[in-house]
Amino acid sequence: GRPVLDGVSLTAEQGKVTALVGPSGAGKSTVLRLAARFWDATAGTVSIGGVDVRHLPTAEIMAMTSMVFQEGYLFDTTIRENLRIARPDATDEKLEEAARRASLDKVIEALPHGWDTPVGPGGVSLSGGERQRVSIARAFLKDAPILLLDEITSALDGENESAITEVIRELSRGRTVLVVAHRLSTIRQADQVVFLEPSPDGARVAQAGTVPELTAQEGPFRGFVEAYTAASRWQL
């Protein structure tokens, strides 16, 4: 019964990483879903290359975008076929290259049937980190110019988070990237940070700029950095 976003205006530049930051309920994931046209805006426009997404065929939008979400869904088939969903005509050589770039190759080597290992419904036979590597390998295989990443490391342990952050750095190179993140390690690589803040009339942009610029200013982003730094020193 009320808007999720209120007057939000931002540009994710070609070939750069734009990080969306803010508290839960600030509309970060909504921005990604609008960009992929899962939903349409009730006011204003969402455009790719200056063209309103409502004027682009769905197949064209899907061809231009790769998406990796917090919970990567895998189908109840083999790893090979789960990757081929991204590009059905991909050769085995292309699959192997995508797996290597996503650091999935070592996981495949350790599985009982390698590439032909069934992953179970939803990928239940793989760990969370392994499922994310399959999702990232799909994105490498698809090689789309726009990359949408939604909290891809939030459910992972520290070791997996560090490894996947490194892989994402390579995947982001040369692409237009919109990434939703709560962890500072993910945000540091961003060229631009947009801090969304909830309000009764819908979330709005509270701050926008580079990490050094926003860290040097009084505002919610600096509070976020200080809180994250303090929490990282906690010990049990």
Side-chain angles (χ1 to χ4, degrees), residues 16 109 113 137-138 141 149 153 155 168 180 182 184 215 221:
K16 294 189 177 181
E109 288 171 8
H113 302 292
R138 281 177 181 163
L141 187 64
L149 307 173
T153 61
I168 287 299
V180 170
H182 279 124
L184 198 55
T215 305
F221 183 77

Side-chain angles (χ1 to χ4, degrees), residues 3-221:
V4 178
L5 305 171
D6 178 31
V8 168
S9 180
L10 64 96
T11 300
E13 292 186 25
Q14 184 176 356
K16 294 189 177 181
V17 177
T18 298
L20 302 175
V21 186
S24 295
K28 303 181 298 295
S29 295
T30 299
V31 173
L32 260 61
R33 281 155 175 73
L34 288 169
R37 211 192 165 196
F38 289 180
W39 303 325
D40 277 336
T42 53
T45 59
V46 178
S47 63
I48 297 175
V51 180
D52 190 322
V53 293
R54 288 170 290 199
H55 300 154
L56 293 170
T58 299
E60 190 171 334
I61 296 172
M62 291 298 98
M64 287 191 291
T65 55
S66 287
M67 292 160 270
V68 183
F69 298 127
Q70 181 178 350
E71 292 292 335
Y73 187 86
L74 302 186
F75 294 92
D76 188 8
T77 182
T78 65
I79 288 191
R80 186 189 308 278
E81 293 310 311
N82 267 287
L83 256 66
R84 274 221 171 93
I85 286 165
R87 183 172 287 184
D89 61 348
T91 63
D92 287 346
E93 289 75 18
K94 288 291 184 184
L95 292 177
E96 288 166 9
E97 180 188 357
R100 178 184 54 75
R101 295 178 73 186
S103 297
L104 179 64
D105 51 345
K106 294 180 178 61
V107 174
I108 292 170
E109 288 171 8
L111 293 172
H113 302 292
W115 280 95
D116 296 313
T117 301
V119 301
V124 68
S125 66
L126 302 180
S127 70
E130 290 166 346
R131 288 195 297 273
Q132 280 296 51
R133 289 172 200 264
V134 174
S135 297
I136 292 166
R138 281 177 181 163
F140 272 119
L141 187 64
K142 189 173 182 182
D143 197 23
I146 299 170
L147 185 60
L148 306 175
L149 307 173
D150 195 356
E151 295 283 16
I152 60 170
T153 61
S154 63
L156 302 179
D157 57 51
E159 183 179 349
N160 268 311
E161 178 200 0
S162 177
I164 285 179
T165 298
E166 285 300 315
V167 171
I168 287 299
R169 189 170 288 121
E170 182 188 349
L171 179 58
S172 300
R173 198 169 293 131
R175 292 179 172 84
T176 304
V177 183
L178 264 174
V179 54
V180 170
H182 279 124
R183 295 189 176 183
L184 198 55
S185 55
T186 308
I187 296 161
R188 282 196 182 103
Q189 64 178 309
D191 299 291
Q192 174 188 211
V193 174
V194 176
F195 196 101
L196 294 173
E197 202 166 50
S199 78
D201 297 321
R204 49 194 145 195
V205 176
Q207 285 182 292
T210 65
V211 172
E213 286 170 353
L214 298 188
T215 305
Q217 298 173 13
E218 287 287 345
F221 183 77

